[in-house]
Amino acid sequence: MYRVAFAEGDGIGPEVVPVAVRCVREAAEGSVELFRVDVGWSAYRSRGSSLPRDSLDAISAADGLILGPLDVGSYPPGDPGSPSPSGRIRRALDLYANIRPIRSPPWSARQFDLVIVRENVEGMYADRNMHAGSGEFMPSPDVALAVRVVTRRGCRRILRVGFELASSRRGGLALAHKANVLRMSDGMMVEEARSMAASYPGVRYSEALVDALAYELAVDPGRFDVIVAPNEWGDVLSNEAAGLAGSLGLAPSLNAGDSFAMAQAVHGSAPDIAGRGVANPVAMVLSAAMLLEWISSRRGDRRLLEASASIRAAVDGVLSDRDPGVLTPDLGGHGSTSSMESAICSRLARGR
């Protein structure tokens, strides 16, 4: 029995996370125990921290985490979990690889299937790139400075994830960088990528300035297989790719380290639609499926691999049906979170 924690988070989180939890319960058929932890505004209001110590301890002791969207940056000054509880979890558990697969929906005239591999604990993100303190500070009221952290170890391990993934897919890897101006930091990433490419003769390695790559991604996303990028570039590129797919509600992600992984959809807390029952749960559901596959790969348990595949097949079936009464408004339908949940779980039940 595997133990997986889940936290509903903020905004639409309490609407979409329960759908993912239900899908895992039904697909895994008793091989996964799911338990709730408190993270986000609910934790702050009741416990005085958006990431209480006992929540982090419970997460660390589990086999994985399903984390709902968080209203990052909104927590009050002095909150111990601020500004980003998810960033603190990534740092505490060394979840250095953010895997973001993005596929076009079945009805799209432009079909593509790519994965963005984003470095997750270094770069410009001030909430997670320092051992102590913040990577962003103001020496005077009129000057703000931010530190960008890039290490060889960080470059090598995220590149390794990318090359291994490309080897298991269509064999293409593109590196996004800005080494023409960030010659030391992004230059280090380029240097390590070129060196590692020699160890993967079956992978077609290419590299491009991130602005040029963003343009090529918009023009012809089908040409890409795996894109590896430093933290900030990967964050932006993956949102661009989700837009090309038609909705952030279709974009899952997994934050993975060597011994732990956290499922967390690419989208945010979407306060504009929170509480209306129209949030698309697909990204959260597929993120949970990625977590099951990751646990399976680490534990050699085929049951979880099959559970992950059944969830993806159920989602694919619902999207392929393109029933406007089921699909949420972001996908052009007039359905609801509940109608999507019912349709996905119905397909899961038929598939068993």
Side-chain angles (χ1 to χ4, degrees), residues 77-145:
D79 167 29
S82 182
S84 171
S86 60
R88 291 186 178 274
I89 294 170
R90 295 173 193 179
R91 185 69 178 178
L93 300 178
D94 198 23
L95 308 182
Y96 60 85
N98 188 198
I99 314 299
R100 295 184 166 188
I102 302 168
R103 290 193 300 159
S104 52
W107 58 80
S108 175
R110 203 166 50 163
Q111 289 294 304
F112 61 90
D113 175 0
L114 60 89
V115 182
I116 294 175
V117 178
R118 169 194 173 195
E119 201 290 320
N120 213 26
V121 294
E122 296 186 348
M124 286 290 292
Y125 287 73
D127 64 319
R128 70 201 69 161
N129 66 3
M130 292 284 153
H131 171 69
S134 173
E136 188 176 44
F137 52 95
M138 295 183 69
S140 79
D142 301 314
V143 178
L145 300 175

Side-chain angles (χ1 to χ4, degrees), residues 225-249:
D225 181 18
V226 174
I227 298 171
V228 176
N231 202 335
E232 54 275 13
W233 310 148
D235 198 5
V236 173
L237 290 172
S238 55
N239 276 32
E240 177 193 0
L244 295 172
S247 172
L248 275 170

Side-chain angles (χ1 to χ4, degrees), residues 8-33:
E8 293 183 346
D10 304 325
I12 61 172
E15 298 166 66
V16 297
V17 170
V19 182
V21 168
R22 180 184 173 188
C23 288
V24 169
R25 282 200 174 109
E26 296 190 7
E29 298 186 282
S31 58
V32 174
E33 174 194 349

Side-chain angles (χ1 to χ4, degrees), residues 159-160 162-174 193 196-206 225-226 228:
L159 286 164
R160 183 75 64 189
F163 274 104
E164 288 292 324
L165 188 58
S167 297
S168 69
R169 286 174 48 91
R170 301 191 305 274
L173 185 147
M196 192 171 292
S199 301
Y200 290 87
V203 174
R204 301 178 307 279
Y205 169 73
S206 63
D225 181 18
V226 174
V228 176

Side-chain angles (χ1 to χ4, degrees), residues 7-20 66-72 86 90 98-102 118 235 238-240 242-243 246-255 263-274 278-288 328 330-331 337:
E8 293 183 346
D10 304 325
I12 61 172
E15 298 166 66
V16 297
V17 170
V19 182
I66 299 171
L67 180 63
L70 298 170
D71 196 3
V72 173
S86 60
R90 295 173 193 179
N98 188 198
I99 314 299
R100 295 184 166 188
I102 302 168
R118 169 194 173 195
D235 198 5
S238 55
N239 276 32
E240 177 193 0
S247 172
L248 275 170
L250 297 176
S253 86
L254 187 74
N255 300 273
Q264 186 182 33
V266 171
H267 63 69
S269 59
D272 55 320
I273 60 169
V278 295
N280 184 350
V282 164
M284 199 71 251
V285 169
L286 292 178
S287 298
T328 44
D330 61 306
L331 300 178
T337 309

